[in-house]
């Protein structure tokens, strides 16, 4: 009987995607070996299209061939499918309230950050100014939630940190596009980002901020946004 | 695990998101105090319990608030795990599938649909309904995949997480058909969803909680008039 040579865990991803990075961080935190596959988003592969027929988007996690889609669903899946691999990303079952808090903030991040940052690079004039205001408001809300804690979940790196940290590579891009300082408005978030980057899982996953900015400039030229 | 504890739900009768919370509470057989909010004049309790969104539903359990309808439903399922059936399955892969469809429902069906009363022109209205109906089409496939042929619900034989999230929208599905003529769930196009809706409405929890469609139609028409009269930048 031939051995199944398929890797057990495969991640279909795109180098600069903050959503893909969430999954990479979760897998690394749990010590789950996986194969990373870079997708060409202009020429999507068969496996991606078959695995995520609804959205045709990365990230997609394939576990023994079965696809999981949506980055936060993937992160929760990784947490639950490898329950004995420390640390738990979501608070444990015996603390439903803490779990609810984690989900609330992950949901908030999902609803707000990507939309604001996209409007910030795609739009100009008043619309861009509004995007900047909205983004600052979001960061300030997160700053207030972080308060004096080392991580969003408290003493331990967890779900909300995973959800937010990939966007921290975009901070210098926000600053260049919006003409403001993230550190000035949200010093705790900046300190938290530094702390997270000390973790190998995060350091390995995040894109260099200069490369993020280059990528955004590429997007702007592609979409005909005057720079 | 708290034996009951004090449960309070801040809501607004027309809100489908509040209906989701009520359905979950009903399915779990939980008693709670319901507080109807005037969203034009929000209570101090609402503003202090949900400072980020200032929206309903808010579930307050022993004084601690939980916000966002999908988070509230999951919280009810987990905090009262012993009471009534589980809304989310135990298997991690099945849970991931449920979360996928919950996210799809929110991003692709609810998001455009929410615009239907706000947009000004017939063209815009037609476009948001087109998007909503296209999403229902995809959701039909999701229902087939999720139920695995085991039953009428996303949860299979019994009601699950996605069923509750979509169930909260049912009276609005029917109301939308009345005031816009557009069928979001059409037995001819999405037969599984149509059967789902019929079966869901037969549940005790649904009978107890789903809003009167006529009242919603009146409410929707008044809301639409208010949006139309409002200044363009509102």
């Amino acid at each position: 009987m031939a051995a199944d040579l398929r890797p057990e865990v495969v991640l279909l991803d795109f180098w600069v995607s903050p959503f893909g990075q969430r999954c990479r961080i979760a897998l690394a935190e749990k010590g789950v070996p996986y194969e990373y596959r870079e997708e060409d988003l202009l020429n999507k592969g068969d496996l991606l299209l078959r695995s995520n027929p609804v959205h045709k988007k990365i990230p997609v996690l394939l576990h023994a061939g079965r696809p999981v889609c949506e980055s936060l669903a993937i992160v929760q899946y990784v947490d639950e499918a490898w329950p004995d691999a420390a640390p738990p990303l979501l608070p444990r079952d015996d603390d439903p309230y803490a779990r609810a808090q984690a989900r609330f903030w992950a949901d908030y991040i999902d609803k707000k950050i990507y939309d604001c940052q996209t409007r910030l690079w795609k739009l100009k004039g008043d619309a861009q100014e509004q995007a900047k205001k909205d983004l600052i408001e979001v960061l300030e809300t997160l700053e207030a939630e972080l308060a004096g804690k080392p991580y969003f979940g408290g003493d331990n790196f967890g779900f909300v940190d995973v959800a937010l940290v990939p966007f921290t590579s975009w901070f210098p891009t926000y600053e260049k596009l919006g003409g403001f300082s993230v550190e000035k408005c949200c010093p705790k978030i900046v300190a938290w980002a530094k702390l997270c980057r000390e973790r190998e899982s995060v350091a390995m996953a995040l894109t260099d901020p200069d490369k993020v900015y280059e990528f955004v400039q590429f997007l702007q030229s592609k979409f005909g946004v005057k720079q | 695990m708290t034996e009951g504890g004090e449960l309070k739900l801040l809501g607004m009768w027309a809100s489908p998101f509040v209906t989701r919370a009520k359905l979950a509470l009903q399915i779990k057989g939980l008693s709670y105090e319901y507080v109807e909010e005037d969203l034009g004049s929000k209570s101090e309790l609402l503003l202090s319990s949900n400072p980020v969104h200032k929206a309903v539903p808010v579930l307050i359990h022993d004084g601690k608030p939980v916000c966002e309808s999908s988070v509230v439903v999951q919280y009810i399922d987990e905090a009262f795990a012993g009471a009534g059936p589980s809304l989310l399955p135990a298997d991690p892969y099945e849970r991931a599938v449920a979360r996928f469809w919950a996210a799809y429902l929110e991003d692709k069906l609810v998001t455009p649909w929410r615009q239907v009363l706000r947009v000004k022109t017939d063209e815009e209205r037609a476009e948001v309904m087109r998007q909503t109906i296209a999403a229902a089409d995809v959701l039909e496939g999701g229902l087939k995949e999720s139920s695995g042929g085991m039953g009428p619900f996303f949860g299979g034989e019994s009601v699950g997480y996605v069923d509750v999230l979509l169930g909260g929208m049912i009276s609005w599905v029917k109301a939308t058909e009345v005031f816009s003529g557009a069928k979001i769930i059409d037995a001819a196009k999405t037969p599984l969803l149509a059967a789902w809706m019929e079966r869901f409405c037969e549940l005790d929890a649904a009978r107890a909680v789903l809003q009167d469609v006529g009242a919603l139609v009146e409410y929707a028409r008044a809301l639409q008039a208010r949006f139309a009269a409002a200044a363009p930048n509102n």
Side-chain angles (χ1 to χ4, degrees):
Chain A
M1 202 160 36
D4 187 342
L5 295 170
R6 281 182 316 178
E8 170 89 335
V9 182
V10 178
L11 182 68
L12 308 180
D13 201 347
F14 183 65
W15 64 285
V16 69
S17 164
F19 305 103
Q21 289 165 5
R22 289 169 167 176
C23 305
R24 289 176 239 169
I25 293 167
L27 288 161
E29 285 285 323
K30 296 294 233 179
V32 174
Y34 69 98
E35 180 189 322
Y36 176 93
R37 286 197 203 165
E38 181 73 18
E39 283 292 322
D40 177 357
L41 298 185
L42 298 175
N43 187 20
K44 290 175 181 177
D46 210 45
L47 182 60
L48 172 58
L49 297 175
R50 273 189 290 119
S51 305
N52 192 357
V54 171
H55 299 296
K56 304 176 175 53
K57 284 182 172 176
I58 58 91
V60 177
L61 183 81
L62 291 149
H63 185 195
R66 291 198 302 184
V68 182
C69 309
E70 290 299 311
S71 63
L72 293 184
I74 293 171
V75 172
Q76 288 182 88
Y77 176 76
V78 170
D79 202 31
E80 294 170 0
W82 287 273
D84 301 324
L89 292 171
L90 261 119
R92 292 207 185 280
D93 282 355
D94 59 4
D95 196 348
Y97 190 74
R99 289 162 70 86
Q101 291 301 99
R103 288 178 178 136
F104 175 86
W105 286 105
D107 173 78
Y108 178 79
I109 290 159
D110 253 11
K111 274 186 166 82
K112 303 284 188 182
I113 300 248
Y114 189 71
D115 171 69
C116 287
Q117 74 174 35
T118 302
R119 285 187 287 131
L120 187 66
W121 69 255
K122 235 180 185 173
L123 306 173
K124 285 285 161 201
D126 286 343
Q128 188 189 35
E129 190 58 33
Q130 187 61 50
K132 168 191 160 182
K133 286 200 176 100
D134 293 343
L135 187 56
I136 291 174
E137 193 184 314
V138 169
L139 292 172
E140 286 175 341
T141 302
L142 291 167
E143 173 94 350
E145 174 54 25
L146 184 60
K149 297 175 289 184
Y151 298 107
F152 279 91
D155 290 327
N156 299 308
F157 182 79
F159 190 56
V160 180
D161 306 288
V162 174
L164 183 60
V165 78
F167 293 100
T168 62
S169 302
W170 294 66
F171 287 176
T173 297
Y174 300 165
E175 290 175 335
K176 289 189 176 88
L177 293 173
F180 70 101
S181 160
V182 175
E183 177 134 30
K184 270 219 180 81
C185 79
C186 300
K188 293 196 181 93
I189 292 284
V190 171
W192 160 85
K194 249 196 197 123
L195 181 65
C196 290
R197 274 201 304 278
E198 286 170 15
R199 302 178 82 82
E200 197 182 337
S201 65
V202 175
M204 296 290 291
L206 263 45
T207 309
D208 183 277
D210 291 336
K211 297 244 183 304
V212 171
Y213 185 60
E214 257 173 57
F215 178 73
V216 170
Q217 287 180 304
F218 158 74
L219 288 176
Q220 284 184 313
S221 70
K222 190 170 157 216
F223 283 87
V225 181
K226 258 193 351 197
Q227 292 180 51
Chain B
M1 187 165 52
T2 21
E3 172 65 79
E6 202 186 83
L7 279 172
K8 192 183 277 192
L9 180 68
L10 309 184
M12 200 278 281
W13 73 272
S15 163
F17 308 103
V18 172
T19 305
R20 290 169 169 178
K22 287 182 179 175
L23 284 167
L25 289 162
Q26 201 78 19
I27 288 166
K28 293 292 214 180
L30 300 167
S31 44
Y32 61 100
E33 182 196 336
Y34 177 73
V35 177
E36 177 75 14
E37 283 283 334
D38 172 0
L39 297 183
S41 174
K42 293 171 183 177
S43 73
E44 198 41 61
L45 181 59
L46 173 56
L47 295 174
S48 61
S49 303
N50 192 356
V52 173
H53 298 299
K54 305 176 177 55
V56 291
V58 177
L59 183 75
I60 305 177
H61 185 197
D62 287 335
K64 297 195 293 189
V66 181
C67 310
E68 279 310 291
S69 61
S70 61
V71 178
V72 170
V73 171
Q74 288 181 84
Y75 177 76
I76 291 167
D77 197 33
E78 293 180 354
F80 301 93
S86 270
L87 294 174
L88 269 144
D91 174 68
Y93 189 75
E94 289 175 32
R95 289 161 73 87
V97 172
R99 289 180 175 131
F100 174 86
W101 288 110
Y104 185 83
L105 172 60
E106 223 55 19
D107 295 340
K108 300 295 183 182
L109 189 110
V110 174
T111 299
W113 188 12
R114 289 182 90 152
Q115 296 304 309
V116 77
L117 298 177
R118 290 172 185 270
V119 295
K120 313 273 191 201
T121 67
D122 286 338
E123 290 80 20
E124 286 172 302
R125 229 177 326 270
E127 176 55 24
V128 300
M129 286 319 301
R130 191 200 59 77
Q131 287 179 26
T132 307
I133 289 166
D137 220 30
V138 176
L139 211 51
E140 173 88 353
L143 177 51
K144 196 171 185 176
E145 177 197 332
S146 301
S147 67
M150 293 284 284
F153 301 114
F154 284 85
E157 283 172 0
S158 58
V159 169
Y161 178 53
V162 180
D163 300 289
V164 171
L165 298 182
L166 185 58
M169 323 298 299
I170 285 175
S171 294
W172 273 97
V173 170
K174 296 178 174 176
T176 302
E177 190 176 331
V178 174
F179 72 68
S180 81
K183 264 188 166 170
I184 297 171
I185 294 180
D186 184 345
K189 296 194 191 141
T190 55
L192 293 177
L193 277 176
W196 169 88
M197 190 160 75
E198 229 181 275
R199 270 299 277 118
F200 193 94
C201 289
E202 286 169 10
L203 297 168
D204 288 336
R207 288 183 202 276
V209 153
L210 293 185
Q211 307 98 315
D212 174 70
V213 176
L216 269 189
V217 172
E218 229 180 272
Y219 172 83
R221 288 193 169 129
L223 202 59
Q224 190 167 39
R226 276 223 308 275
F227 283 131
N233 288 335
N234 267 23

